[in-house]
Each structure stands twice: as C-alpha cells, then as structure tokens.
Amino acid sequence: MALWNGRDIQRIVILTGAGISAESGLKTFRDTGGLWENHDPMEIATPEAFARDPGLVYRFYNARRRQLDEVAPNAAHRALALLAERFAGSVFLVTQNVDDLHERGGSEQVCHMHGELNSMLCAKCTTRQPAASDYDGSTVCPACRLAGGLRPDIVWFGEIPYHMEQIGAELAACDLFIAIGTSGTVYPAAGFVREARFAGALTVEVNLEVSDTSGYFDVQRQGPASVEVPALVTSLLG
Ligand code: APR
C-alpha cells in the first residue's frame, strides 16, 4: 500500500496505447504519419477486409511483426515493469498494443486486449499459435496441420476484445487508474477511465497532448511517456 496524492493506493490498473511505444520507433495509429494515414482502417482491420483481400492483411501484419526486431523497449516500458516488481500492492497492466515491448521491458503480466503480433489464430482448430515468421493462407497450422485457417491474432474493429471480464473486475476494484499514450477514441478501452472513476479510483493520464478523454482524468501529466512514466513510477514508489 502507498499513500499517494492523499489516497491509500492498493490496486493499480494501467492502460497503455500506441503512444508508449512511439519513442521506441513504432508508429501510432492516429498521429500525423501514423499507421492508418495511408490506409483506411476498414480496408485492413476488419473481418470483412480480411475476407475481401487476405493478401493485403497478411502483408500488413507480417511487416509490422518484422518491425519488432528493429525496435527496443524504452524507459516507459521499463518503468512499468519496475513498478510491478516493487509496488507493495497489485499492478494490473492492460495494453491495446499488439507489440511485445512491455514483455521485453521486463513486465511479467501483460493483458493484451487487442491481441498480439507474435501470435496467430487458427480458425480450423481455434487455437492461438506463436507466429515466429511470415505466414499467410497457405501456411500449415502447427497444431492441427491444416492450411487455410490461420489469421493474425489481432482484435479487429467489430470484434470483442480479449479478457474483458478480468479487466472489468480489475477496474471495479482499483484505487488508481493510469492511462498512457492512448487517444481515447477506441472503445471499450476509451471507457475504462469512467469505469475506474465509478469505482472511486483516482485517475491519471500521461499523454503528449490533450486526448478525447482527458476531461475524465483527475491528474494530467503532459509530455513524452519516456520522461513522464519513470517520474510517475518514482513518485508512486515513494
Ligand atoms: N508519449 C505519450 N503519448 C504519446 C507519445 C509519447 N511519446 N506519442 C504519441 N502519444 C499519444 C498521442 O498524442 C495520442 O493521443 O498517444 C496517443 C496515440 O493514439 P492512437 O494512435 O489513437 O493509439 P491508441 O489510442 O493506442 O489506439 C487505440 O486503435 O486502431 C486501433 O487497435 C488499434 O489499439 C489501437 C486502438
């Protein structure tokens, strides 16, 4: 337990978005030059898009997974791992990111609500399998040995994010909710701050700029995640 900003903090929920990985070199979705800028999300990140042009969708996610080899976690990822290790209460980390930078930054528990680039989903045997290299519709599933069923293990628009029950329980019980580097435009994650407030939690936002949900936060720390997150963690660890 920690006394922070006049509150007893025992349970922390942290939500991260593309902004925490920006300084590692991964593009965000909605900033200038962002990932969607040259693509209509509806042509890539929907089940309908995959049915219409699977080749485009495989290429997009294979390229993004390959890019993981060229980037490294930054000080913000590492600071969150340190917080989980040292904080006397509980720290639940939920990310909208499909990269593996939290894990490589030392976090042992990461809830990937939008799936993972390093994973693929087999429609034939309904298992999730590690995606070590490029794959497409002709790739044989390592579990069921059938081709034609593999797709990116990414939660697309119109699909239900993973682990919603567990996330809801964590939000309902938290004393402190921290959102880092997310524009607050995509639900259900954009609604987490209101769920946390409803539970009585103190809410903190770290972002380069004002986001769509900034008005719901008690505390706003404006600046780059690589600076603001380590400072916040130092303050929380007292
Ligand atoms: N430090 C802190 N915040 C930053 C930084 C930084 N260095 N760089 C950018 N940001 C902020 C931006 O100001 C913006 O508010 O990060 C946010 C990134 O927003 P988005 O690109 O919309 O990313 P995110 O909120 O994670 O998107 C949510 O949308 O397309 C879907 O599934 C995709 O998970 C993704 C979801």
Side-chain angles (χ1 to χ4, degrees), residues 56-86:
L56 173 71
V57 177
Y58 286 122
R59 279 197 302 281
F60 179 80
Y61 287 106
N62 280 333
R64 292 194 59 208
R65 197 188 52 261
R66 266 185 258 130
Q67 205 191 352
L68 296 180
D69 295 338
E70 295 155 21
V71 298
N74 65 53
H77 298 102
R78 289 194 296 272
L80 294 184
L82 184 74
L83 179 67
E85 189 189 312
R86 302 256 172 97

Side-chain angles (χ1 to χ4, degrees), residues 35-102:
L35 266 177
W36 295 141
E37 201 182 43
N38 298 321
H39 296 278
D40 175 354
M42 296 304 148
E43 279 172 19
I44 302 269
T46 67
E48 293 76 16
F50 184 57
R52 200 165 47 236
D53 191 350
L56 173 71
V57 177
Y58 286 122
R59 279 197 302 281
F60 179 80
Y61 287 106
N62 280 333
R64 292 194 59 208
R65 197 188 52 261
R66 266 185 258 130
Q67 205 191 352
L68 296 180
D69 295 338
E70 295 155 21
V71 298
N74 65 53
H77 298 102
R78 289 194 296 272
L80 294 184
L82 184 74
L83 179 67
E85 189 189 312
R86 302 256 172 97
F87 186 66
S90 75
V91 177
F92 181 76
L93 176 59
V94 50
T95 187
Q96 297 166 92
N97 298 344
V98 293
D99 64 53
D100 59 355
L101 294 181
H102 281 305

Side-chain angles (χ1 to χ4, degrees), residues 160-180:
I160 298 169
Y162 290 133
H163 314 299
M164 287 309 296
E165 205 172 314
Q166 185 188 13
I167 297 166
E170 292 287 346
L171 288 168
C174 74
D175 315 297
L176 175 62
F177 173 78
I178 305 170
I180 303 164

Side-chain angles (χ1 to χ4, degrees), residues 17-19 22-23 28-31 36 96-97 114 157 181-186 207-209 223-225:
E23 290 163 82
T28 63
F29 290 93
R30 294 173 184 80
D31 295 317
W36 295 141
Q96 297 166 92
N97 298 344
H114 288 172
F157 291 104
T182 177
S183 59
T185 47
V186 174
N207 202 304
L208 267 186
E209 56 193 23

